[in-house]
Amino acid sequence: MPVEFISAVNVNPSNELNRLGLAAIDRPFFQRYARTLDDYGFDYTLVPYGSPGHDPFTLAAALTQYTERVRPIVALRPNTMYPTVAAKQLATLDQLSGGRAVVHFIAGGDDHEQAREGDRLPKEQRYARQAEYIEILRRVWTSTTAFDHAGTYYSFEDFVSLVRPVNGTIPVSVGGSSADAYRVGGALGDIFGLWGEPLRETQEQIDAVYEQARLAGRSDRPRIWVTFRPIIAETEELAWEKAHRTLGVLAESAGLAAQFLRRRGVPPANVGSQRLLAAAERGEVHDRALWTAPAKATNAGGASTALVGTPETVAAAILDYVDLGAELISIRGYDNYNDLVDYGRYVLPLIRQELAHREATGQRGEVVSPDAGLDRRELAAVGATGTSA
């Protein structure tokens, strides 16, 4: 399948740089953002979930009415909705959108966040519940007669749904960096989501997911999704200057709780964040353009590693992950709308052009034109100090 691109939904002009702090939906902005996703060729957009935030099903349904092609990925925590209800809601969204619905499962990496909505299962049981949930969804989508279910976490009798997905099923995405995540996602996921780690560690995670798919007896494997926060500019030096300005804002605005935990050396609860912080301790810049300083500044509160450079450099860095096996690339910025436009104008076309070249010729082309005479670590220092070493 071709490499595809993912963004993330935004409902108003607030972002991590302007710190407007708006919570309400700005309908004109939301409509413009949704249509821009279509206009610039994004294939998917994540509709996230958090205990204080908007309902992702409602946002996804609204987004499909403003767009023609982009596919909403609805983030779903199993504790928030019974699986038979979720199966119908997803199938309804799928019909409403002409077959565009995707669901991304969040087992939950933070006990405190899970307890905010009454979920007190330990993490290993959350993954076991997630596996049962996925199996129920798929049976609901395919069963034409009523059936019973008596599992560890869910039990019901004589259920059948008349609401069918357009293409018979809906893609299921699973994410995480723990052994439990690999096991469940490798066995049951159509897609497996990773945060942007260095190439070697990313390859190790991909191999772990594929091994679990093999152990589950699958003849196929999940498609790999990797997430980055690119920072681009016309030259390498300008990109690093922009990166360090962004870092200053992130460090200043990181939540008080995250700052407190960082000062005390308390690691985040979820394995994915722990891995990002470990990468940051090993070095600030990895491989071609992976920058870990934002993860360190925010205590790795979510996908927080950047790719820094010109559009050519960032496109080449993304292609390095494609070469490892990534088929879905999530890129979202810090200045959400403007970054979305820049990625659509300057990064996605380069990647698609190179992939088309490879398919036509069987050979790799050149997409990188970094500033001569400065390597990426020297450019990082330029951004921090204003002068080269």
Side-chain angles (χ1 to χ4, degrees), residues 2-3 5 319 322 350-360:
V3 174
F5 298 94
L319 285 163
V322 171
L350 288 173
I351 297 171
R352 288 181 167 135
Q353 176 180 302
E354 168 59 12
L355 292 172
H357 171 80
R358 293 180 182 185
E359 184 174 356

Side-chain angles (χ1 to χ4, degrees), residues 45-70:
T45 189
L46 177 65
V47 190
Y49 186 87
S51 60
H54 292 99
D55 169 50
F57 281 91
T58 307
L59 290 180
L63 180 135
T64 66
Q65 302 311 290
Y66 302 137
T67 58
E68 297 295 331
R69 65 180 306 275
V70 70

Side-chain angles (χ1 to χ4, degrees), residues 77-80 106-127 129 153-154:
R77 288 183 183 169
N79 62 293
T80 63
I106 306 171
D110 187 318
D111 291 344
H112 180 67
E113 167 67 5
Q114 294 300 119
R116 285 177 171 143
E117 295 184 294
D119 186 17
R120 295 178 176 83
L121 285 182
K123 186 175 181 181
E124 62 274 12
Q125 289 189 41
R126 294 200 292 266
Y127 274 104
R129 176 182 61 190
Y153 302 97
Y154 303 102

Side-chain angles (χ1 to χ4, degrees), residues 255-277:
L256 293 177
Q259 294 179 35
F260 175 73
L261 292 173
R262 279 203 313 279
R263 287 195 297 269
R264 292 192 59 194
V266 178
N270 65 304
V271 177
S273 294
Q274 293 170 19
R275 291 177 63 97
L276 294 188
L277 291 175

Side-chain angles (χ1 to χ4, degrees), residues 123-344:
K123 186 175 181 181
E124 62 274 12
Q125 289 189 41
R126 294 200 292 266
Y127 274 104
R129 176 182 61 190
Q130 179 173 284
E132 184 177 336
Y133 200 107
I134 293 169
E135 290 168 347
I136 291 169
L137 288 189
R138 288 186 168 138
R139 188 166 183 191
V140 170
W141 291 332
T142 58
S143 294
T144 57
T145 58
F147 67 95
D148 300 343
H149 178 83
T152 303
Y153 302 97
Y154 303 102
S155 177
F156 52 87
E157 297 82 35
D158 198 35
F159 180 81
V160 66
S161 172
L162 301 178
V163 189
R164 302 281 172 201
V166 172
N167 298 305
T169 190
I170 290 169
V172 170
S173 170
V174 175
S177 297
S178 66
D180 286 330
Y182 302 150
R183 178 178 50 79
V184 173
L188 298 173
D190 300 300
I191 297 167
F192 193 93
L194 300 170
W195 288 343
E197 296 188 20
L199 290 167
R200 180 174 62 84
E201 287 82 357
T202 300
Q203 183 68 72
E204 290 170 357
Q205 292 204 83
I206 292 172
D207 291 344
V209 173
Y210 287 171
E211 174 63 9
Q212 289 302 314
R214 185 191 68 81
L215 292 173
R218 292 180 61 167
S219 59
D220 64 345
R221 306 185 295 194
R223 301 179 72 202
I224 300 299
W225 159 10
V226 186
T227 298
F228 305 100
R229 311 291 300 274
I231 300 172
I232 65 171
E234 293 86 349
T235 67
E236 299 290 322
E237 183 170 346
L238 288 173
W240 281 105
E241 290 175 354
K242 180 179 177 181
H244 282 281
R245 289 196 304 272
T246 299
L247 182 64
V249 177
L250 295 178
E252 181 182 341
S253 61
L256 293 177
Q259 294 179 35
F260 175 73
L261 292 173
R262 279 203 313 279
R263 287 195 297 269
R264 292 192 59 194
V266 178
N270 65 304
V271 177
S273 294
Q274 293 170 19
R275 291 177 63 97
L276 294 188
L277 291 175
E281 288 301 316
R282 294 194 301 273
E284 184 172 316
V285 183
H286 295 262
D287 306 315
R288 192 186 301 267
L290 185 73
W291 191 43
T292 61
K296 191 170 185 178
T298 60
N299 208 38
S304 49
T305 48
L307 296 173
V308 181
T310 63
E312 292 83 4
T313 294
V314 169
I318 288 171
L319 285 163
D320 290 339
Y321 289 87
V322 171
D323 291 337
L324 294 183
E327 294 183 67
L328 298 110
I329 303 296
S330 174
I331 49 175
R332 61 185 180 91
Y334 294 100
D335 182 2
N336 302 110
Y337 182 82
N338 292 320
D339 286 340
L340 169 66
V341 171
D342 284 346
Y343 301 156

